Amino acid sequence: MNKTYHGSCHCGAIKFEADIDLDQGTSKCNCSSCTKGRFWKAFIGGEALRMTAGIDQLIEYRFGGRTIAHFFCQTCGVKPFGRGEMEDTGVFYAINLACLDDLTPEALLAAPVEYQDGRHDHWENRPAEVRHL
Ligand SMILES: [Zn+2]
């Protein structure tokens, strides 16, 4: 069931609301960016994210195919979310679950986790090793 969560970066300059159904699963990926950032995320549609503060405080980073915009707080460096676009489903956001202030550890642990082999550009596959993600 969709629930509205409230998120922020570390310094609080960036605040947002996100409608997320954690029962639909969360995602961990072994690509170079997710690995270094330990980015545990949930995907939501483009209309399910609302910025409530600090949209002008975000800095954008792209790498590789440059198709995904990774956003960081320019003050504290925390990445609250990334944004991408698919031809069939349109704009999506990948929300950093660690930034959700009203998501309890218990609720996070109860959510299913899916693993993607982004390191080898096979996001549909589960990597052979996932314990470090
Ligand atoms: Zn910040």
Tab-separated table of all heavy atoms in Angstrom, residues 28 31 35 48 56 65 69 82-83 93 102 117:
chain	number	residue	atom	x	y	z
A	28	LYS	N	18.744	-2.928	-4.430
A	28	LYS	CA	20.172	-2.694	-4.233
A	28	LYS	C	20.884	-3.158	-5.498
A	28	LYS	O	20.521	-4.186	-6.082
A	28	LYS	CB	20.707	-3.466	-3.026
A	28	LYS	CG	20.179	-2.971	-1.692
A	28	LYS	CD	20.825	-3.745	-0.556
A	28	LYS	CE	20.354	-3.237	0.787
A	28	LYS	NZ	21.029	-3.955	1.910
A	31	CYS	N	26.321	-1.607	-9.235
A	31	CYS	CA	27.035	-0.720	-10.160
A	31	CYS	C	28.019	0.148	-9.362
A	31	CYS	O	27.966	0.212	-8.138
A	31	CYS	CB	26.068	0.149	-10.961
A	31	CYS	SG	25.466	1.604	-10.084
A	35	THR	N	27.338	1.064	-5.409
A	35	THR	CA	28.266	0.428	-4.482
A	35	THR	C	28.949	1.466	-3.605
A	35	THR	O	28.986	1.345	-2.381
A	35	THR	CB	29.324	-0.376	-5.256
A	35	THR	OG1	28.667	-1.412	-5.973
A	35	THR	CG2	30.344	-0.982	-4.314
A	48	ALA	N	5.140	10.937	-7.949
A	48	ALA	CA	5.078	10.486	-6.558
A	48	ALA	C	6.113	11.174	-5.664
A	48	ALA	O	6.195	10.883	-4.474
A	48	ALA	CB	5.257	8.971	-6.487
A	56	ASP	N	16.628	24.233	-5.100
A	56	ASP	CA	17.753	24.996	-5.648
A	56	ASP	C	19.076	24.621	-4.978
A	56	ASP	O	20.132	25.131	-5.354
A	56	ASP	CB	17.493	26.500	-5.504
A	56	ASP	CG	17.272	26.915	-4.056
A	56	ASP	OD1	16.848	26.065	-3.242
A	56	ASP	OD2	17.524	28.080	-3.733
A	65	GLY	N	26.382	6.329	-19.341
A	65	GLY	CA	25.466	6.691	-20.413
A	65	GLY	C	24.777	8.019	-20.175
A	65	GLY	O	24.073	8.506	-21.049
A	69	ALA	N	20.067	11.028	-13.717
A	69	ALA	CA	20.532	12.217	-12.995
A	69	ALA	C	20.591	11.874	-11.514
A	69	ALA	O	19.561	11.541	-10.913
A	69	ALA	CB	19.589	13.386	-13.242
A	82	GLY	N	17.694	9.855	-7.258
A	82	GLY	CA	18.100	10.010	-8.646
A	82	GLY	C	16.852	10.041	-9.511
A	82	GLY	O	15.762	9.655	-9.065
A	83	ARG	N	17.016	10.506	-10.742
A	83	ARG	CA	15.879	10.576	-11.656
A	83	ARG	C	16.266	10.005	-13.015
A	83	ARG	O	17.360	10.284	-13.528
A	83	ARG	CB	15.424	12.019	-11.856
A	83	ARG	CG	14.145	12.132	-12.716
A	83	ARG	CD	13.767	13.568	-13.000
A	83	ARG	NE	14.770	14.178	-13.866
A	83	ARG	CZ	15.073	15.489	-13.889
A	83	ARG	NH1	14.460	16.305	-13.090
A	83	ARG	NH2	15.996	15.938	-14.696
A	93	TYR	N	11.736	8.099	-10.235
A	93	TYR	CA	12.734	8.480	-9.237
A	93	TYR	C	13.180	7.247	-8.487
A	93	TYR	O	12.388	6.328	-8.252
A	93	TYR	CB	12.159	9.496	-8.247
A	93	TYR	CG	11.948	10.860	-8.852
A	93	TYR	CD1	10.709	11.244	-9.327
A	93	TYR	CD2	13.005	11.756	-8.962
A	93	TYR	CE1	10.519	12.490	-9.904
A	93	TYR	CE2	12.824	13.005	-9.530
A	93	TYR	CZ	11.582	13.365	-10.002
A	93	TYR	OH	11.388	14.594	-10.578
A	102	ASP	N	10.797	9.234	8.426
A	102	ASP	CA	9.735	8.533	9.138
A	102	ASP	C	9.567	7.086	8.678
A	102	ASP	O	8.515	6.491	8.849
A	102	ASP	CB	8.407	9.301	9.062
A	102	ASP	CG	8.066	9.742	7.642
A	102	ASP	OD1	8.826	9.407	6.708
A	102	ASP	OD2	7.038	10.424	7.475
A	117	ASP	N	22.299	-6.483	-11.168
A	117	ASP	CA	23.696	-6.576	-11.593
A	117	ASP	C	24.024	-5.411	-12.528
A	117	ASP	O	24.272	-5.594	-13.711
A	117	ASP	CB	23.938	-7.919	-12.281
A	117	ASP	CG	25.422	-8.155	-12.537
A	117	ASP	OD1	26.247	-7.314	-12.127
A	117	ASP	OD2	25.746	-9.183	-13.152
